[in-house]
């Protein structure tokens, strides 16, 4: 009892320390603007009377006292752009991308851990609870080595900026000085919390202490998310500056600098993107381990792990296009040229590649689910209808990837009789594409529902009515989505943009209502047989690897597009890029560079996985024996 | 069920016969017309009919004990998609798009035939039979593949690498990003915020809703709305300016852009690409009026770098028309096509 009390006190103290660590940087950073910026300006005002210079915020249009220097007007030379005998931009690109990959991974995985650990805590089935707990532990173990690499890559990135783009980085850090300090200190808090969370796993595995442990994961994720928000404020500022006047002089309001036009859409898009990416990487890890497994037990464990990671990744993938749509809408609202450059102009072809990658993600997810039905007795009844799902998916996909500006030879152009194809040209615009992606997402939801009821037969008295209702609901959803896509051609653009709301609502209704209805129908359902974990085709595992690779490639592509849209500006319309590399790369070069980044990431993450497996080999026998996932249990639920 | 499948089979056979006729040039592609305004959905609908038809055909053949092996079903369906795109849809689809569609359909066929283990085994069986070569025919086939496949791949490689005299592919940006502002006749217009001064109601106030309500009907015919005839001398405001814009259009623009605004004017086919087709939903329907104002004023010569290879001979109309005339002609173009200009609310 005394020991338990001692543990409680210890854990409460530990939690308080963590919260203190979290608040510390804020406390330290708070006086920073007052002492560093506003105070001198205030003093200057007193001394010089009316000589206080005021500027007008380029975005908020408010007046403020000028407290910063104008954005430097750089010139091509060793002072502003020192360089190796190589394109500096490519070096920055590489360092940035690798840091972002690892950063995303280590931010996403603790969120998974939190969810899975929570599922373990609340699950009544003790065997299943232990499996969840072990899975969460496996996840955090993978992310620990990646965490060190993230920090190392962050250091490399800063050094690359300082040495190759000193003028630009100097300007950015002069504005974001307090934010950068908070960022650095929060990184310390994140590290401390992560290590306590990881190393305290065994000591805090039961009762009240488990809840403390779980709450630590919440703290960990809050810090991680805030870290990302702060980093997003820098790129948001570069794309859509605010808080400065038209010469780039800081006007003393740090919130304006952080809260730019694109900050919130970027935050949401990145959270969802990171989660989907993290799920993909862990699923690929599980797939790799499954393919390399030598025993049925291992295969069962990694099959299950892959399924959970994929399900979490897809859960965040589904709302991702909507978040992307919001981001693009805000981009258009901020600067029309930026939107047109992205989606109709210079970078439009990259968007077609992006659409293709999104399509591959949905195809891979669906394919995995269809394969996964193979490990359930009773799922055969759905398999014969899969061809119709393939048809729906592919039709949506084809519409989604049809380019507005087609690549053709002059002879083909002449044969076509104009730049726009009268049939396919209609698929090249937003109205059709919204329909295409919503059809794909709805089909994915349908696949998931089929998977969830694969080995079950509903025993509720209204099962027949429920099935008919679900069928009609999905049919109406498809009709509504397609009808709205067609209707979009007949109405003004501003109304058409609003049509995405009922389309999304239709898709999300399928997701939430049908999932809920299905769960109610399957409560107490008759099982045709257990899910035989591990008895899944190897093709499914390649689909998971494909899913992860597509995530990685797409992330690099979208990062490149987002960055390229600034064209020849370091900070849009404020600080011009006068280096020799202020041009947009060709599509081919960009694709090669993205592929190189993807390849490098996967090689390095394999190293991380290998390190993780070394640690597992050295695990004490006692601990290994306790791994509950080593014996596959007939799962009562998905 | 059987009746439904028989109907499907009938559709499948009829569709295949029609497509066969089109491939061998016995029946022109436009025998079954792609109806303007409904073409995209018509194509998808036809596709759905074919899929239903094939399902029915497959069912009926199985019922008659003549089931087509899964391998040939897969290959056959893929071949059908390629042939459909090549011979059914007109005008011809550029190769780059057909290649994209072809690749995606190949992936679709793979997903279909490998969705379940049983199907995958059925699909693989003929391949495995040839590789195992247990019979004389399979042995022969294996040798044939050993010889034919490398020759085919070599042929493709040779064809891909061989220098060609064709004009290179152009990755043309049709709608390059406009500048933030443009100067016409000495006045600067901010493209994000400027408005067409003639988009007004009879009282002379800027009124987007009123003008939108008086454009021609979209869809087939493009009929005028009742009491919205610009050539009625009594009409004032928006409709009057549409009439004036129309006069300017027919005096200056229709020679290239055509009297139906579809890019097929008298001189259109002297150019490659032909002038923009305003009736296509991918042109003015996607743009703000100020974008058109900028393009009309500055012409092909004023395209930014992004507009490479600047394949436009449109004159900079600011040298020939007044600002008011440019706004009025834009008003007419939207009225006539039945499209609404893009706005940002």
């Amino acid at each position: 009892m005394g020991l338990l009390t001692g543990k409680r006190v210890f854990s409460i103290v530990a939690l308080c320390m963590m919260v203190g660590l979290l608040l510390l940087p804020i406390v330290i950073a708070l006086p920073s603007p007052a002492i560093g910026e506003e105070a001198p300006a205030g003093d200057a005002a007193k001394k010089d009377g009316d000589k206080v210079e005021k500027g007008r915020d380029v975005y908020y249009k408010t007046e403020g006292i000028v407290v910063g220097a104008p954005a430097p007007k750089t010139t091509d030379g060793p002072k502003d752009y020192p360089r190796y005998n190589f394109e500096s931009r490519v070096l920055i690109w590489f360092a940035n991308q690798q840091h972002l990959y690892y950063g995303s991974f280590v931010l996403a995985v603790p969120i998974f851990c939190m969810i899975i650990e929570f599922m373990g805590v609340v699950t009544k089935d003790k065997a299943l609870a232990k499996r969840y707990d072990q899975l969460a532990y496996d996840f955090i173990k993978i992310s620990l080595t990646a965490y060190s690499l993230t920090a190392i890559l962050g250091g490399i990135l800063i050094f690359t900026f300082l040495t190759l783009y000193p003028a630009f980085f100097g300007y950015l850090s002069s504005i974001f000085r307090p934010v950068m300090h908070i960022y650095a200190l929060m990184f310390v808090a994140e590290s401390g919390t992560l290590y306590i969370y990881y190393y305290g796993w065994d000591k805090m595995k039961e009762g009240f202490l488990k809840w403390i442990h779980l709450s630590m994961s919440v703290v960990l994720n809050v810090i991680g998310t805030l870290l990302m928000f702060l980093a997003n404020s820098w790129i948001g500022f570069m794309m859509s500056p605010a808080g400065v006047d038209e010469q780039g002089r800081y006007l003393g309001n740090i919130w304006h600098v952080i809260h730019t036009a694109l900050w919130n859409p970027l935050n949401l898009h990145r959270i969802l993107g990171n989660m989907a990416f993290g799920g993909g990487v862990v699923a690929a890890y599980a797939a790799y381990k499954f393919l390399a497994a030598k025993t049925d037990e291992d295969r069962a464990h990694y099959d299950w792990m892959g399924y959970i990671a994929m399900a979490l990744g897809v859960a965040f993938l589904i709302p991702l296009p909507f978040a992307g749509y919001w981001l693009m809408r805000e981009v258009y609202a901020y600067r029309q040229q930026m939107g047109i450059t992205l989606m109709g102009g210079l970078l439009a072809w990259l968007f077609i590649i992006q659409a293709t990658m999104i399509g591959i993600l949905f195809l891979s997810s669906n394919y995995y689910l269809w394969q996964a039905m193979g490990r359930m007795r009773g799922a055969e009844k759905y398999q014969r209808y899969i061809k119709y799902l393939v048809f729906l998916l592919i039709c949506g996909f084809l519409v989604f990837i049809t380019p507005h500006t087609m690549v053709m030879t002059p002879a083909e152009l002449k044969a076509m009789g104009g730049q726009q194809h009268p049939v396919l040209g209609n698929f090249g615009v937003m109205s059709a594409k919204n329909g295409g992606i919503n059809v794909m997402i709805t089909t994915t939801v349908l696949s998931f529902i089929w998977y969830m009821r694969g080995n079950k037969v509903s025993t509720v008295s209204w099962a027949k009515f429920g099935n008919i209702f679900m069928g009609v609901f999905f049919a109406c959803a498809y009709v509504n989505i397609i009808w709205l896509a067609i209707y979009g051609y007949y109405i003004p653009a501003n109304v058409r943009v609003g049509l995405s709301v009922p389309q999304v609502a239709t898709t999300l209704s399928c997701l939430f209502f049908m999932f809920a209805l299905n769960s109610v129908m399957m409560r107490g359902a008759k099982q045709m047989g257990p899910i035989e974990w591990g008895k899944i085709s190897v093709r499914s595992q390649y689909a998971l690897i494909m899913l992860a690779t597509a995530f990685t490639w797409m992330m690099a592509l979208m990062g490149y597009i987002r960055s390229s849209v600034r064209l020849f500006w370091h900070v849009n319309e404020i600080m011009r890029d006068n280096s020799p590399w202020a041009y947009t790369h060709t599509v081919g070069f960009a694709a090669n560079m993205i592929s190189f980044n993807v390849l490098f990431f996967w090689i390095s993450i394999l190293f991380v996985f290998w390190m993780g497996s070394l640690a597992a080999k050295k695990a004490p026998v006692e601990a290994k024996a306790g791994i509950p996932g080593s014996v596959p249990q007939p799962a009562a639920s998905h | 069920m059987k009746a439904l499948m028989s109907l499907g089979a009938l559709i499948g056979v009829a569709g295949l016969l029609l497509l066969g006729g089109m491939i061998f040039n016995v029946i022109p592609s436009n025998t079954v017309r792609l109806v303007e305004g409904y073409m995209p959905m018509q194509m998808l609908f036809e596709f759905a009919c074919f899929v239903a038809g094939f399902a029915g055909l497959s069912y009926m053949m199985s019922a008659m004990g003549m089931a087509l092996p899964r391998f040939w079903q897969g290959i056959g369906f893929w071949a059908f998609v390629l042939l459909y795109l090549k011979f059914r849809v007109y005008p011809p689809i550029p190769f780059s798009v057909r290649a994209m569609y072809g690749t995606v359909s190949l992936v679709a066929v793979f997903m279909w035939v490998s969705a379940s283990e049983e199907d995958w085994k059925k699909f693989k069986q003929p391949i495995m039979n040839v590789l195992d070569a247990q019979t004389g025919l399979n042995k022969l086939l294996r040798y044939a593949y050993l010889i034919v496949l490398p020759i085919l791949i070599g042929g493709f490689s040779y064809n891909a690498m061989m220098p060609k005299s064709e004009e290179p592919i152009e990755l043309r940006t049709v709608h390059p990003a406009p500048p933030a502002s443009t100067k016409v006749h000495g006045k600067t217009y901010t493209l994000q915020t400027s408005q067409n001064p003639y988009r007004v109601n009879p009282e002379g106030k800027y009124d987007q809703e009123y003008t939108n309500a008086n454009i021609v009907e979209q869809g087939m015919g493009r009929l005028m709305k009742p009491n919205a005839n610009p050539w009625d001398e009594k009409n004032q405001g928006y409709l009057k300016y549409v009439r004036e814009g129309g006069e300017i259009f027919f005096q200056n623009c229709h020679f290239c852009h055509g009297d139906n605004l579809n890019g097929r004017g008298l001189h259109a086919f002297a150019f490659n690409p032909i002038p923009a087709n305003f009736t296509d939903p991918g042109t003015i329907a996607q743009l703000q009026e100020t974008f058109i104002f900028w393009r009309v004023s500055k012409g092909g010569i004023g395209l930014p770098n992004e507009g490479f290879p600047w394949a436009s001979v449109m004159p900079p109309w600011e040298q020939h028309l007044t600002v008011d005339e440019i706004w009025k002609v834009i008003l007419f173009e939207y009225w006539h096509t039945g499209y609404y200009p893009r706005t940002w609310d």
Side-chain angles (χ1 to χ4, degrees):
Chain A
M1 184 70 186
L3 188 67
L4 193 65
T5 314
K7 274 186 181 173
R8 279 190 183 191
V9 171
F10 166 75
S11 45
I12 289 168
V13 169
L15 195 62
C16 288
M17 277 173 65
M18 275 191 305
V19 174
L21 267 174
L22 175 67
L23 293 174
L24 182 68
I26 298 168
V27 174
I28 294 171
L30 268 180
S32 168
I35 298 164
E37 283 146 22
E38 284 178 5
D43 290 346
K46 278 176 201 161
K47 281 175 196 165
D48 303 336
D50 290 331
K51 282 186 181 171
V52 173
E53 196 178 355
K54 288 193 171 178
R56 191 174 159 82
D57 192 316
V58 286
Y59 177 66
Y60 285 102
K61 309 294 177 201
T62 51
E63 281 211 332
I65 299 168
V66 173
V67 291
K73 293 194 187 324
T74 55
T75 49
D76 181 23
K79 183 174 155 282
D80 291 331
Y81 299 105
R83 70 194 71 154
Y84 302 105
N85 195 14
F86 198 73
E87 188 180 328
S88 300
R89 185 172 48 159
V90 169
L91 293 175
I92 280 283
W93 186 351
F94 172 73
N96 221 333
Q97 190 58 61
Q98 295 304 321
H99 177 59
L100 278 170
Y101 276 145
Y102 278 94
S104 306
F105 183 64
V106 298
L107 287 177
V109 171
I111 301 180
F112 289 166
C113 285
M114 182 178 73
I115 297 169
I116 296 168
E117 197 183 359
F118 178 74
M119 282 161 71
V121 170
V122 296
T123 301
K124 285 175 188 154
D125 180 343
K126 285 203 169 173
L128 193 63
K130 279 193 174 179
R131 288 177 69 192
Y132 277 131
D133 198 64
Q134 180 61 36
L135 189 65
Y137 184 74
D138 284 351
F139 274 19
I140 205 77
K141 196 169 68 185
I142 298 168
S143 82
L144 211 65
T145 318
Y147 191 76
S148 317
L149 267 173
T150 310
I152 294 166
L153 287 164
I156 291 173
L157 177 62
I158 288 182
F159 290 139
T160 316
F161 264 124
L162 285 171
T163 51
L164 300 180
Y165 288 89
F168 163 65
F169 196 72
Y171 173 63
L172 206 63
S173 50
S174 74
I175 291 175
F176 282 98
R177 182 155 35 97
V179 179
M180 284 180 174
H181 279 129
I182 294 174
Y183 183 85
L185 290 168
M186 285 189 83
F187 204 87
V188 176
E190 166 95 351
S191 309
T193 318
L194 178 66
Y195 286 117
I196 297 169
Y197 180 65
Y198 176 71
Y199 289 110
W201 202 289
D202 285 337
K203 293 204 173 209
M204 304 168 87
K205 63 183 174 191
E206 273 167 7
F208 176 71
L209 288 178
K210 188 65 187 169
W211 281 101
I212 293 283
H213 190 258
L214 189 59
S215 58
M216 268 202 289
S217 72
V218 177
V219 175
L220 180 67
N221 285 309
V222 168
I223 302 173
T225 309
L226 286 175
L227 264 173
M228 190 189 66
F229 284 1
L230 293 182
N232 289 349
S233 69
W234 308 333
I235 56 166
F237 177 79
M238 287 165 69
M239 285 178 80
S240 55
V244 292
D245 67 3
E246 57 186 16
Q247 291 177 51
R249 296 178 301 181
Y250 177 48
L251 301 177
N253 188 334
I254 195 70
W255 179 241
H256 279 187
V257 173
I258 294 172
H259 187 227
T260 53
L262 303 178
W263 188 53
N264 276 328
L266 274 171
N267 286 339
L268 180 68
H269 198 255
R270 274 198 158 171
I271 287 183
L272 294 173
N274 287 351
M275 295 293 290
F277 168 74
V281 174
V282 176
Y285 167 77
Y288 160 74
K289 297 291 275 184
F290 176 95
L291 293 170
K294 292 196 170 55
T295 63
D296 286 346
E297 284 80 9
D298 279 353
R299 261 190 288 276
H301 178 70
Y302 288 114
D303 181 12
W304 185 64
M305 186 178 184
Y307 166 71
I308 297 282
M310 190 278 315
L312 284 170
V314 171
F316 290 94
L317 169 68
I318 286 174
L320 196 55
F322 309 133
Y325 191 83
W326 181 39
L327 175 60
M328 277 304 116
R329 196 180 157 164
E330 293 302 313
V331 166
Y332 266 99
Y334 172 70
R335 283 290 182 277
Q336 184 190 190
Q337 307 104 291
M338 208 180 242
I340 294 179
T341 301
L342 279 168
M343 303 203 72
L346 191 65
L347 303 170
W349 256 97
L350 295 172
F351 260 86
I352 291 297
I353 301 175
Q354 181 236 3
T356 311
M357 300 311 289
I358 293 174
I360 290 172
L361 291 178
F362 281 105
L363 294 188
S364 309
S365 312
N366 278 277
Y367 187 71
Y368 176 81
L369 290 169
W370 302 335
Q371 293 299 309
M373 284 186 202
R375 63 183 169 212
M376 288 185 248
R377 205 171 301 149
E380 304 81 21
K381 60 181 178 285
Y382 293 110
Q383 283 182 328
R384 71 178 118 145
Y385 297 112
I386 283 173
K387 52 179 172 280
Y388 302 112
L389 294 192
V390 174
F391 175 73
L392 285 169
L393 267 178
I394 292 297
C395 283
F397 187 33
L398 288 178
V399 170
F400 196 52
I401 62 169
T402 302
H404 180 237
T405 308
M406 293 174 184
V407 176
M408 52 193 151
T409 61
E412 285 176 322
L413 180 65
K414 208 162 195 172
M416 213 167 84
Q419 191 76 47
Q420 270 79 28
H421 194 284
V423 183
L424 303 184
N426 294 277
F427 296 150
V429 295
M430 211 57 204
S431 195
K433 295 199 182 303
N434 278 348
I437 189 69
N438 277 291
V439 164
M440 289 175 80
I441 298 174
T442 306
T443 309
T444 308
V445 172
L446 187 56
S447 289
F448 234 116
I449 285 176
W450 282 8
Y451 173 80
M452 288 175 78
R453 48 166 55 200
N455 62 337
K456 292 173 187 165
V457 178
S458 177
T459 51
V460 292
S461 57
W462 45 276
K464 195 174 177 184
F465 172 76
N467 284 336
I468 292 171
F469 181 79
M470 284 179 90
V472 171
F473 197 95
F474 269 104
C476 290
Y478 281 118
V479 169
N480 193 37
I481 290 167
I482 295 168
W483 153 245
L484 289 173
I486 298 168
Y487 182 57
Y489 287 92
Y490 295 91
I491 50 175
N494 56 338
V495 186
R496 182 167 62 234
V497 169
L499 273 191
S500 60
V501 176
Q503 277 182 325
V504 170
T506 308
T507 307
L508 293 182
S509 301
C510 285
L511 180 67
F512 294 118
F513 295 148
M514 293 299 101
F515 261 57
L517 180 63
N518 191 56
S519 304
V520 174
M521 280 178 73
M522 292 302 137
R523 202 170 286 161
K526 186 178 138 198
Q527 290 225 2
M528 308 294 285
I531 299 176
E532 296 174 282
W533 293 108
K535 291 190 177 168
I536 190 170
S537 71
V538 290
R539 295 188 304 284
S540 65
Q541 305 303 304
Y542 291 122
L544 289 183
I545 292 171
M546 178 75 159
L547 188 76
T549 313
F551 270 131
T552 327
W553 213 92
M554 196 170 78
M555 213 168 133
L557 176 76
M558 294 315 290
Y560 168 70
I561 294 174
R562 189 197 46 69
S563 190
S564 294
V565 77
R566 284 180 285 112
L567 302 175
F568 45 81
W569 297 98
H570 286 310
V571 178
N572 194 35
E573 297 168 13
I574 296 286
M575 183 181 178
R576 206 182 159 109
D577 180 356
N578 286 316
S579 71
W581 311 291
Y583 61 90
T584 307
H585 278 300
T586 59
V587 175
F589 183 89
N592 284 338
M593 189 63 201
I594 290 164
S595 302
F596 174 74
N597 270 321
V598 170
L599 196 66
F600 189 90
F601 170 73
W602 279 104
I603 290 170
S604 60
I605 200 106
L606 274 178
F607 171 72
V608 171
F609 291 165
W610 176 70
M611 296 268 280
S613 69
L614 282 184
K617 278 173 195 161
K618 284 184 181 173
V621 180
E622 191 192 347
K624 251 214 141 164
I627 296 173
S630 57
V631 181
Q633 307 289 324
S637 72
H638 297 279
Chain B
M1 182 69 178
K2 201 166 180 178
L4 205 67
M5 285 299 180
S6 307
L7 181 69
L10 205 64
I11 293 170
V13 170
L16 280 178
L17 285 174
L18 265 172
L19 186 65
M22 288 170 188
I23 294 167
F24 294 106
N25 219 7
V26 182
I27 307 167
S29 294
N30 58 3
T31 306
V32 182
R33 285 183 64 83
L34 286 167
V35 185
E36 196 176 344
Y38 300 93
M39 287 168 167
M41 286 318 293
Q42 187 183 347
M43 185 183 135
L44 288 177
F45 179 72
E46 279 183 16
F47 224 68
C49 284
F50 269 111
V51 168
F54 292 155
L57 208 56
S58 168
Y59 177 85
M60 293 306 287
M61 286 175 76
S62 298
M64 290 189 288
M66 298 188 298
L68 194 65
R70 186 48 54 95
F71 178 79
W72 291 112
Q73 284 184 16
I75 299 290
F77 186 74
W78 188 51
F80 154 76
V81 174
L82 298 183
L83 294 171
Y84 179 87
L85 293 171
K86 171 94 177 147
F87 294 100
R88 164 66 181 125
V89 183
Y90 58 88
I93 304 172
F95 175 76
S96 67
V97 181
R98 273 191 290 127
M100 279 167 69
Y101 283 10
T103 311
V104 170
S105 359
L106 187 63
V107 171
V109 167
F110 169 76
M111 287 172 75
W112 161 42
V113 297
S114 67
S116 72
E117 205 53 41
E118 196 189 338
D119 275 354
W120 182 232
K121 272 187 194 149
K122 277 190 208 165
F123 181 79
K124 279 193 307 184
Q125 200 54 53
I127 303 170
M128 301 311 285
N129 288 346
V130 172
L131 289 176
D132 285 347
Q134 296 295 325
T135 63
L137 178 68
N138 283 332
K139 211 173 262 181
L140 196 70
L141 274 174
R142 193 169 69 170
Y143 283 121
Y145 285 134
L146 194 67
I147 297 161
V148 172
L149 279 179
I151 291 174
L152 270 178
I153 294 167
F156 282 128
S157 309
Y158 174 78
N159 200 35
M161 300 300 287
M162 193 175 62
K164 293 185 180 69
S165 55
E166 286 171 11
E167 291 172 85
I169 283 173
E170 286 172 2
L171 201 58
R172 185 166 175 253
T173 303
V174 181
H175 301 315
S181 60
T182 185
K183 200 171 186 179
V184 181
H185 289 294
K187 192 179 168 193
T188 302
Y189 296 85
T190 305
L191 267 58
Q192 187 109 346
T193 51
S194 295
Q195 292 174 328
N196 190 333
Y198 296 101
R199 195 167 278 284
V200 293
N201 57 24
E203 287 80 47
K205 283 190 180 159
Y206 184 85
D207 192 339
Q208 187 84 33
E209 276 183 30
Y210 170 80
T211 57
N212 282 350
N214 283 292
I215 58 171
V216 299
E217 296 267 6
Q218 267 194 56
M220 290 175 75
R222 299 190 187 276
L223 301 172
M224 278 190 288
K225 301 247 172 76
N227 306 319
N229 179 1
W231 278 266
D232 183 342
E233 295 289 339
K234 282 183 286 183
N235 280 325
Q236 290 299 307
Y238 169 70
L239 289 170
K240 177 174 168 258
Y241 299 128
V242 166
R243 181 173 69 233
E244 290 172 13
E247 283 161 9
I248 299 158
F249 182 88
F250 284 106
Q251 284 163 13
N252 299 280
C253 316
H254 98 284
F255 303 105
C256 296
H257 288 286
D259 50 7
N260 203 22
L261 281 73
N262 58 1
R264 282 157 171 74
L266 286 171
H267 304 319
F269 293 96
F271 310 121
N272 191 18
I274 64 167
N277 171 6
F278 300 144
T279 62
D280 187 285
T283 57
I284 61 171
Q286 297 295 318
L287 301 165
Q288 261 188 297
E289 276 186 299
T290 48
F291 186 104
I292 318 289
F293 179 76
W294 164 66
R295 287 287 285 116
V296 172
S297 307
K298 301 298 171 189
I301 205 163
L303 279 168
N305 288 347
E306 195 190 329
F308 176 86
W310 307 289
S312 166
V313 290
M314 189 163 82
W317 283 102
E318 62 179 341
Q319 294 174 11
H320 309 279
L321 299 175
T322 64
V323 168
D324 290 342
E325 285 171 330
I326 296 174
W327 281 124
K328 283 176 188 171
V329 85
I330 293 168
L331 209 63
F332 169 76
E333 285 167 4
Y334 278 104
W335 175 84
H336 194 285
T337 53
Y339 290 131
Y340 310 95
R342 184 180 280 272
T343 50
W344 309 102
D345 285 349

